[in-house]
Structure formats: C-alpha cells, structure tokens
Amino acid sequence: MRIICILVLMLLSSGSSSIGDSRNVSTRPDVVNIGALFSFHSMIGKVGKIAVEAAIKDVNSDPSVLGGTKLNLTLHDTNYSGFLGIVESLRFMETKTVAIIGPQNSVTAHIISHIANELQVPLLSFSATDPTLSSLQFPFFIRTSQNDRYQMAAVAAIVDYFEWREVVAIFVDDDHGRNGIAALGDQLNEKRCKISLKVPLKPDASRDEVTNALVKVTLTTSRILVVHTYESTGMVVLNVAQHLGLTGPGYVWIATNWLSLLLDTNSALPPGSMESIQGLVALRLYTPNSALKRKFVSRWTNLTNGKSSSGQLGLSTYGLYAYDTVWMLAHAINSFLNEGGNLSFSNLSKLTWTDVGALNLNAMSVFNGGRALLQNILDVNFTGITGPVEFTPDRDLIRPAFEVINIIGSGERRIGYWSNYSGLSIVPPETLYSKPPNESSLNQKLYDVVWPGQAAEKPRGWAFPNGGAHLRIGVPRRVSYQEFVSQVEGTDMFSGYCIDVFTAAINLLPYTVPYKLIAYGDGLTNPRTTELVRQITTGVFDAAIGDIAIITNRTRMADFTQPYIESGLVVIAPVKKLNSNAWAFLRPFTAKMWCITAVSFLVVGVVVWILEHRINDDFRGPPKRQVITILWFSFSTMFFSHRENTFNNFLLLSKGLKLWFQTMTQLGTSRVRLLETT
C-alpha cells in the first residue's frame, strides 16, 4: 500500500506540473500584432521598409528571441500626409496592435503621438528626429535613432572649431526644420555664437521661392550657411545657390544628415548635382563597425534585388536603425510576456460620451499593457548592428555620434567624428570611451577641408555685402582734451590721436571696411561716455572711438580694444651713467658742500668755546692754544672722538648740532645710492 500511495502522489505531482506548464504556455500568445507607418516612395521609407521586413523575418526564425511567439507586421503608406497617418494609425487600433514602428517624419509624429497617448500604444520611430518629441507631452513616443539636438551640437562644434561666430540657417518651416534650428540656436549660444539670419522655406518650395529666399542671403555679412531641410529641397537650395554665385570661394556650406542620406541611398548623383555640392561639409549618423553590421551590409544587395527601378538602392544609416528597432521591440515584448504581461484591450472610455456616428471609432481599444511594454522598451539593453542599444533617462539612445564628411570630386572624404563624449576628433568615438572625456579646445581636431571653389585656406566667414550698410561709429564731441579726438569745425570730419590710431588699424586690414563717423554730444559739454557705450548695445552705433576709459560696468556692455594710452602717476628723472668705485660716497660732497661743512664745524667750535671757556679748564690758556682747541674740537666732533669734556647747560645744543651733522652725512650716502640706481 505504501508503494501504491507513493506512485499516486508522483502521478498527481507530475499532472499538476504539466497543468501549470500548459497554463504558462497558454498565456503566451502565438502572434503579436505590430504596425509600421512609412512613406513607401521616399528614400527613408524605401530603405526602412526593406530593413524592417528583414528584421521581422530574422526575429521570427529565431525561437530564442520570443520563445515561439511570432511578430505579425502590418505596413501602411502615409505618403507624406499627416492626415493619412492619422487614418492608418486608427486602423491599427482595430487589429489589436501593441506597438507601431514609425511614423517616418516629425510632422506626422506630432499628430499621431496624441493618439498614442490616448490608446497607450508605443511609437518607435527611427527617423523622426525633432528634439521636441522627447518632451513629457509625448510619453509613448520613443526615438530609436539619434536626437537632432546632438546633430546641432555637432554643427555648433564645427562652427566654433573654425572660429566663426555667425551663421545663416536655411530650413524647412515645419516641425522638423523649426525645432531643429531652435536647437541649433541653443547650441550656438553655448559657444558664444549666434544665428544672424533665418531663411524659412515651404516643404514643397518651388525654385522661384527658393531663389527669392536666397537673395536675402546675398545681403548679409555672414558666409557660413547651415542647411537643415529634406533631401529634395536641399538639392534645390544648392542648385539655386550655385546659380546665384553663393558656392564660390569665401562661402561655407554645412549640411545636416539629409545630404549623407542622399549620397548613401543613390548609387550616383548627376554631374550637375555633384558640382553644386563641391566643398560642402556634411554630417552622417555614425555606427561603429562590427561583425553584425558587416554581415547585414553583405546581405543588403540580395535584399534589394528587384526592389528599385531606378538602380541599386543603397543602405543608409536609417536602414540600420530600422533593423535594430524591430529587434528592440522583440526584446521588449519578450520581457513583457516573461513578466506575465497580458495582451488585453479595453474600450476607450472617452468614446462612450461621444457620438462617433459612422466613423466606426468604437472598434478602437486601449492597450492595457501599454505602459508596461513602454517601460520594457526603455529598459532594453543589447548590442545590435548600430552598436550598443540602451536608453538614457532622457529617452535618448546612448553614445550619440556623427561622421563629419567633406564632398570632393565625385565622392566624399571623412575628416573626423563628433560625439557628445569628447567632441570633435579624428579617431572613431568607440576608441575614446575607454579614456576620460576631454572636450577642451586643444583636444578638438579635424583633418584639413577642401572648401568651395577648391580653396584650401579656411574662409574668413564673413564679408561686406554689395549694397550693405556702413558701420556707424560714434565719436564723442569733447570740449576738453581735444588732442585725443575733436571734430573739425564746419565739417563732418574728426581728428586727434584716437582717430589716427583707428585709421592706422583700418589700413592694416587686407580688405575694405566702409564706415561712417557720427558725432555724439552737443559740443558744449563733454558727453557721457558710458551712455555712448550703452548705445552700442541698443544698435544705435556699431562701435565707438575716443578716449573712453575701460571700467567695470562698461566692459559688461561692450568689448574694448587693448588700451593704447596709459594713465597714472609717473616720476621723470634724468638718466646719467656713472661709474661706481670705492670713492663713490664722496660724489654728493661738492666744493660748496665742503665749504659749508667746514664753516659749520668752525661755528660749532666757536659756540662751544664761548659757552665753556669760563668754566672749563680745557678751553683756557694762551690765545694760540684756544684757537687750536676750537679747531680740534670742531674736527674731532665729526668722528665723535673729542677729548674735551663739556659742562655747560647748553650741552643739548651741542648734541643737536652733532645730530644735524650725522643726518647730513646719511643724506649724502642716500643720494649716492639713488644715482647708482638711476
């Protein structure tokens, strides 16, 4: 009986465990629905569609990723339309979709993110780079490529590296362009640079509209132009710029990663297009070289065979990020299911109070596990073909980096890298992560650039435009000290030492600087120079010339040149070279001084004799002896070695005379030292 009981218990335990296993298996679905929103006829959409489909195939063929669960992908074409993006995203909600890959551009992402917030469905976009999409307003939007905030930091680093201070920003006037240029302005401010002119363009701007916009650029002083547009609009801008003569020597063109996307996707650009981009500096998303990346690149030719009628379709970095996006979502779904997540949906409560009519919105539902899946996506940590995939607390991918390329001839040349870890460098960023971060100016480095017009020398970055305004320079009309600056009576001309210094400096420049001197003050009283400096900050004057003292509150309002007039107390003394020897101490004792000293000794001796000869035997005797005593006492007093004693109450006078002689001697010695020093 004991053996039978043991066997029954064993059967029961095995049965219960099998039931538990069957329950665990039953909670894991066979299929998980995900969606994708692309513009199939765009460059990013073509590459992204192929990369996503390849990733879905690889994930489903590997049972270790999802434990037997398959991903069911549904693709919809938004055709660059925000309205179609809304419609297609709503259709996803009818099929119990747990996540959407896309949308492709930032404009559509702003719209669909509101829907994702309501339905709690994560959006994973590998190409919507607008920095504002990372705000707290859109918690369900996840960018699986690099933020444009980092790209604009790279542009600002390039501008600062070449010591330029102003740029002209040409951009598409939509969410992608406006917010990207706003980020550029913030990054330039940190480098003490600025955007001097913003040139907005319509997303579908015609050639004439682009021409009218670029005419404004010819009237500006800055020659540094940053183009942040889409690939089609960007090429129109550069073609028009070439026609207007804006791509010659002296100009600098910096393109964001739209140009590298164009070069990577197309097998070859037409000769006319290549001519218009010569000497440009552009950025490309950087992905480290690895075995996984090389393997996928080698597969790309087979994946794209027959997929494009316009020639071979190249692999851009957006294709790499699209491929990793699917794997990122697969890892997150696997973690979600392992934690007991349930793919359940519920009705949208807000629709119960709304008459939706024939829109069939009742078919939409809220993904109950949306927030849990969102957290699993943000917690992913794996290595893909783009390198380590992990999110920062700001929901950006770690280790943002860009390649800096220079367009030369029929191709391109890499001149360096940028990363938020060490800035600009000529070595790959992954080699720097093992070293302490160093963004000092001495550590920033790029290879030499061939600028527009085949120029090897770095452009100055600015010029006086044709028809441009003269510099307005304020000059104080002083009443006193007119030697420094004064107005020639009856004319608009000025003269003085400060004007001469300014004119000499202007003549040393290798180019012409048009300027106009404008009088400041009424000529009756000295004007307040602090107010003159303040008017430079308000735009009344561009600069000021005059004897303007450099004081603290003025330095906060404007920059000053190096002072060319020194102020303060000075001592003027003749310089005379004298030879020093052992008898140098006698130089102060001139013949006149010797005579005065001898007379003073005799006076001292006579005075002492008068006071002492009646009561002191040392001062008595024959007249000859008394004369000798007077002379000897006078001479011995000089060395304080006299043998006669004095008893008179006027001894204090005698000691005072001795002190006077001692002082005269020290004064003479000091004068010798001063002469030797001089």
Side-chain angles (χ1 to χ4, degrees):
M1 288 294 296
R2 183 177 299 178
I3 295 174
I4 294 174
C5 291
I6 293 174
L7 291 175
V8 171
L9 291 174
M10 292 176 63
L11 290 173
L12 291 174
S13 62
S14 61
S16 62
S17 61
S18 62
I19 293 173
D21 293 340
S22 64
R23 287 178 180 175
N24 290 335
V25 173
S26 64
T27 58
R28 195 176 187 94
D30 295 331
V31 176
V32 176
N33 295 323
I34 63 174
L37 293 173
F38 303 139
S39 296
F40 292 165
H41 299 289
S42 65
M43 291 185 181
I44 295 178
K46 292 177 183 179
V47 175
K49 181 175 180 294
I50 297 173
V52 168
E53 290 175 340
I56 292 292
K57 182 178 178 181
D58 293 343
V59 169
N60 289 338
S61 61
D62 188 353
S64 63
V65 180
L66 285 171
T69 301
K70 304 294 184 181
L71 294 179
N72 180 35
L73 176 67
T74 303
L75 289 166
H76 286 301
D77 186 5
T78 61
N79 197 23
Y80 283 116
S81 172
F83 174 73
L84 290 179
I86 295 175
V87 173
E88 299 298 343
S89 62
L90 294 177
R91 290 177 60 185
F92 281 136
M93 299 304 103
E94 300 176 6
T95 58
K96 310 299 184 183
T97 301
V98 300
I100 299 175
I101 299 176
Q104 178 179 317
N105 58 57
S106 301
V107 177
T108 308
H110 274 275
I111 300 172
I112 300 180
S113 293
H114 292 284
I115 300 175
N117 290 346
E118 296 295 334
L119 304 179
Q120 299 185 10
V121 176
L123 297 176
L124 292 84
S125 178
F126 57 86
S127 56
T129 55
D130 177 7
T132 61
L133 288 170
S134 298
S135 63
L136 299 177
Q137 182 184 7
F138 306 118
F140 282 89
F141 177 85
I142 303 172
R143 182 184 292 105
T144 58
S145 63
Q146 297 299 343
N147 193 329
D148 262 351
R149 178 166 59 91
Y150 298 114
Q151 180 172 211
M152 296 309 168
V155 174
I158 294 172
V159 173
D160 182 62
Y161 175 79
F162 289 107
E163 299 179 342
W164 299 316
R165 287 294 170 260
E166 293 185 2
V167 303
V168 175
I170 304 172
F171 61 98
V172 174
D173 195 10
D174 60 7
D175 293 324
H176 170 71
R178 282 193 305 270
N179 297 328
I181 293 303
L184 174 62
D186 294 338
Q187 297 295 333
L188 288 173
N189 287 338
E190 294 181 5
K191 304 289 185 180
R192 301 189 69 180
C193 307
K194 67 176 183 179
I195 299 176
S196 59
L197 176 66
K198 294 183 179 181
V199 183
L201 300 171
K202 294 195 302 184
D204 55 348
S206 65
R207 187 178 181 87
D208 291 339
E209 291 172 335
V210 173
T211 302
N212 294 333
L214 291 186
V215 168
K216 302 176 183 177
V217 177
T218 62
L219 303 178
T220 62
T221 60
S222 178
R223 292 295 183 262
I224 314 301
L225 299 100
V226 178
V227 185
H228 183 56
T229 62
Y230 302 113
E231 54 273 9
S232 57
T233 308
M235 289 308 302
V236 175
V237 169
L238 293 175
N239 288 332
V240 172
Q242 183 186 18
H243 178 72
L244 295 177
L246 300 179
T247 58
Y251 284 90
V252 175
W253 289 83
I254 302 175
T256 52
N257 60 350
W258 64 265
L259 182 58
S260 61
L261 168 66
L262 189 65
L263 296 173
D264 293 339
T265 307
N266 293 299
S267 55
L269 293 180
S273 298
M274 287 301 301
E275 184 180 355
S276 62
I277 64 175
Q278 292 298 304
L280 264 71
V281 175
L283 295 175
R284 175 189 285 124
L285 287 166
Y286 175 73
T287 55
N289 194 15
S290 63
L292 289 174
K293 179 180 176 181
R294 290 191 297 268
K295 181 179 178 181
F296 184 76
V297 171
S298 64
R299 292 175 53 195
W300 186 252
T301 303
N302 296 329
L303 293 173
T304 56
N305 282 337
K307 298 294 181 67
S308 177
S309 60
S310 58
Q312 182 65 35
L313 185 64
L315 175 61
S316 66
T317 51
Y318 286 114
L320 302 178
Y321 281 106
Y323 184 86
D324 274 354
T325 299
V326 176
W327 281 88
M328 179 191 308
L329 181 57
H331 285 294
I333 292 175
N334 184 58
S335 299
F336 173 77
L337 296 176
N338 288 339
E339 294 171 358
N342 187 14
L343 302 182
S344 61
F345 296 82
S346 59
N347 294 329
L348 185 60
S349 59
K350 292 184 179 180
L351 295 180
T352 59
W353 303 97
T354 306
D355 184 12
V356 296
L359 294 178
N360 197 28
L361 297 181
N362 289 324
M364 291 194 306
S365 55
V366 178
F367 178 31
N368 296 327
R371 295 191 179 277
L373 179 59
L374 174 66
Q375 189 59 47
N376 286 122
I377 295 174
L378 296 176
D379 292 339
V380 295
N381 187 355
F382 71 100
T383 301
I385 59 177
T386 60
V389 178
E390 186 179 351
F391 287 97
T392 67
D394 295 330
R395 296 189 300 165
D396 290 328
L397 288 178
I398 63 172
R399 298 183 178 181
F402 290 85
E403 294 181 52
V404 185
I405 61 176
N406 184 208
I407 311 301
I408 303 174
S410 59
E412 63 185 60
R413 181 173 66 96
R414 183 191 298 121
I415 60 175
Y417 305 88
W418 177 90
S419 68
N420 70 329
Y421 189 77
S422 294
L424 297 172
S425 67
I426 58 176
V427 297
E430 62 266 21
T431 63
L432 300 175
Y433 293 133
S434 60
K435 303 177 183 179
N438 186 356
E439 294 191 58
S440 64
S441 58
L442 297 177
N443 195 52
Q444 307 300 295
K445 191 174 183 182
L446 291 175
Y447 288 116
D448 294 335
V449 180
V450 178
W451 303 104
Q454 301 296 318
E457 185 179 356
K458 183 196 74 172
R460 186 172 65 240
W462 63 274
F464 287 100
N466 297 329
H470 288 57
L471 289 178
R472 296 172 54 86
I473 301 179
V475 182
R477 296 179 62 185
R478 296 193 58 88
V479 178
S480 59
Y481 298 106
Q482 295 189 357
E483 294 81 3
F484 289 106
V485 60
S486 62
Q487 186 174 10
V488 179
E489 187 175 356
T491 67
D492 294 334
M493 301 177 61
F494 293 83
S495 62
Y497 179 70
C498 295
I499 302 297
D500 295 340
V501 172
F502 172 76
T503 305
I506 287 292
N507 293 335
L508 291 175
L509 296 176
Y511 45 84
T512 303
V513 179
Y515 63 90
K516 183 178 181 180
L517 301 181
I518 302 175
Y520 176 75
D522 55 10
L524 302 177
T525 58
N526 288 329
R528 300 179 62 181
T529 50
T530 300
E531 180 63 20
L532 173 60
V533 175
R534 191 192 65 80
Q535 292 193 13
I536 297 177
T537 63
T538 60
V540 177
F541 297 113
D542 298 313
I545 302 174
D547 52 334
I548 303 173
I550 305 175
I551 58 179
T552 303
N553 62 332
R554 294 175 186 172
T555 57
R556 295 169 180 163
M557 294 185 286
D559 294 328
F560 285 80
T561 64
Q562 290 294 327
Y564 50 87
I565 301 176
E566 292 186 2
S567 61
L569 298 177
V570 295
V571 176
I572 301 177
V575 178
K576 186 176 181 181
K577 186 176 181 180
L578 298 174
N579 295 325
S580 179
N581 52 46
W583 299 98
F585 71 93
L586 294 178
R587 286 175 185 163
F589 295 91
T590 60
K592 185 177 181 179
M593 186 174 181
W594 281 113
C595 294
I596 294 175
T597 302
V599 171
S600 65
F601 287 162
L602 290 176
V603 171
V604 170
V606 172
V607 171
V608 172
W609 178 82
I610 293 173
L611 295 175
E612 296 288 337
H613 80 280
R614 293 183 180 180
I615 59 176
N616 193 341
D617 294 337
D618 293 335
F619 290 90
R620 289 183 179 184
K624 181 178 179 180
R625 179 184 176 186
Q626 294 185 31
V627 171
I628 294 174
T629 299
I630 292 172
L631 294 175
W632 173 254
F633 185 85
S634 300
F635 179 77
S636 61
T637 302
M638 178 178 178
F639 303 98
F640 304 99
S641 60
H642 51 276
R643 65 175 180 271
E644 294 82 1
N645 295 322
T646 57
F647 303 105
N648 198 286
N649 292 331
F650 290 95
L651 179 61
L652 182 61
L653 176 62
S654 176
K655 292 182 179 180
L657 292 174
K658 293 179 183 179
L659 181 61
W660 171 81
F661 177 78
Q662 184 179 6
T663 303
M664 291 293 294
T665 305
Q666 291 177 353
L667 179 62
T669 305
S670 300
R671 183 180 178 188
V672 171
R673 292 176 181 175
L674 177 62
L675 291 174
E676 291 178 351
T677 302
T678 305

